[in-house]
Amino acid sequence: KQARLPWIKTLEQFDFSFQPSIDHKIVRDLAGLSFVERGENVVLLGPPGVGKTHLAVALAVKAAEAGHRVLFMTLDRLVSTLMRSRQENRLDRQLQQLTYPKVLVLDEMGYLPMTREEASLFFRLINRRYERASTILTSNKSFMDWGEIFGDQVIATAILDRLLHHSTTLNIKGESYRLKDKRRAGLVT
Ligand code: ADP
Ligand code: MG
């Protein structure tokens, strides 16, 4: 089956010794893909450069190799896709299409705040996928800050409720892998 990923990263390429806050066993369990069979979600939280996108893509690669349909989008791209389809009166069809992939990676939630309308469209998607298909979400914001992202605590709570009901959260605390060589060279502190 076709995998729609922007680039390929694998779990084998991931250096777990660099990021000790990640429980290796949890990632190994996820790589077994029972979360996909059960339509459960994965939330990867942490500051920039700690490997959130890498791990999200690597899990999607595993799922694609196992024959599941996967799709990768930035959250920004998802929101503009939903808004456009609403303007063009084909929101239902678009939501249906986005419910189809067994694994949907939504990358980079939290960099841009959403309007209420955008947040409610996002909620509709999460609600459709709930208990049917897995969503892997990455964010640089902790759950407490989600109210701010969605501009509305009620919608934020409803989204968190669906997303986290059956889910695994990895809270990655550590240094940016992007900066490690620069840091070593004394270019940043
Ligand atoms: P984030 O999404 O958390 O900002 P990325 O997943 O994009 O971070 O990681 C930044 C870069 O560093 C990517 O090229 C990624 O492959 C690499 N990287 C991050 N963490 C590791 C790691 N522990 N081992 C190997 N490569 C890593
Ligand atoms: Mg990223």
Side-chain angles (χ1 to χ4, degrees):
K1 260 167 224 166
Q2 196 196 351
R4 290 200 272 164
L5 298 167
W7 59 85
I8 301 295
K9 296 274 183 184
T10 65
L11 285 177
E12 291 70 30
Q13 292 164 347
F14 198 81
D15 177 5
F16 284 91
S17 67
F18 183 78
Q19 218 54 266
S21 73
I22 300 175
D23 185 341
H24 201 152
K25 188 183 168 298
I26 292 178
V27 178
R28 238 187 352 249
D29 285 351
L30 291 171
L33 300 178
S34 56
F35 80 100
V36 177
E37 309 293 341
R38 293 196 293 257
E40 297 181 358
N41 302 321
V42 178
V43 181
L44 298 158
L45 302 178
V50 295
K52 301 181 298 298
T53 303
H54 185 135
L55 288 174
V57 169
L59 290 172
V61 166
K62 279 268 184 265
E65 285 170 355
H68 296 293
R69 185 181 292 264
V70 308
L71 178 62
F72 176 102
M73 281 181 138
T74 62
L75 206 81
D76 193 27
R77 174 70 205 296
L78 172 78
V79 165
S80 53
T81 299
L82 291 175
M83 288 294 281
R84 187 162 12 92
S85 66
R86 159 120 106 199
Q87 277 151 23
E88 295 170 0
N89 284 316
R90 47 181 184 79
L91 179 61
D92 260 329
R93 216 181 324 143
Q94 185 63 258
L95 285 169
Q96 193 50 45
Q97 267 177 31
L98 290 167
T99 307
Y100 198 47
K102 265 309 249 181
V103 175
L104 175 63
V105 179
L106 295 178
D107 198 27
E108 299 194 341
M109 194 191 75
Y111 283 102
L112 297 169
M114 290 184 205
T115 65
R116 263 161 155 262
E117 192 184 11
E118 290 168 343
S120 88
L121 290 179
F122 179 60
F123 172 72
R124 284 180 66 172
L125 177 66
I126 293 301
N127 204 24
R128 284 245 192 156
R129 293 182 58 81
Y130 176 61
E131 294 186 333
R132 290 197 190 101
S134 300
T135 304
I136 303 178
L137 195 119
T138 82
S139 180
N140 63 336
K141 295 272 187 345
S142 71
F143 294 135
M144 277 188 327
D145 297 328
W146 284 28
E148 245 170 76
I149 301 173
F150 298 120
D152 181 319
Q153 195 58 52
V154 175
I155 293 179
T157 304
I159 290 170
L160 275 169
D161 184 61
R162 305 296 189 288
L163 206 56
L164 301 185
H165 183 197
H166 310 286
S167 70
T168 302
T169 298
L170 282 174
N171 221 320
I172 310 175
K173 301 183 182 81
E175 290 194 23
S176 169
Y177 194 85
R178 290 192 189 100
L179 296 180
K180 81 177 164 112
D181 295 328
K182 289 188 183 127
R183 188 165 288 127
R184 224 167 255 161
L187 296 173
V188 293
T189 51

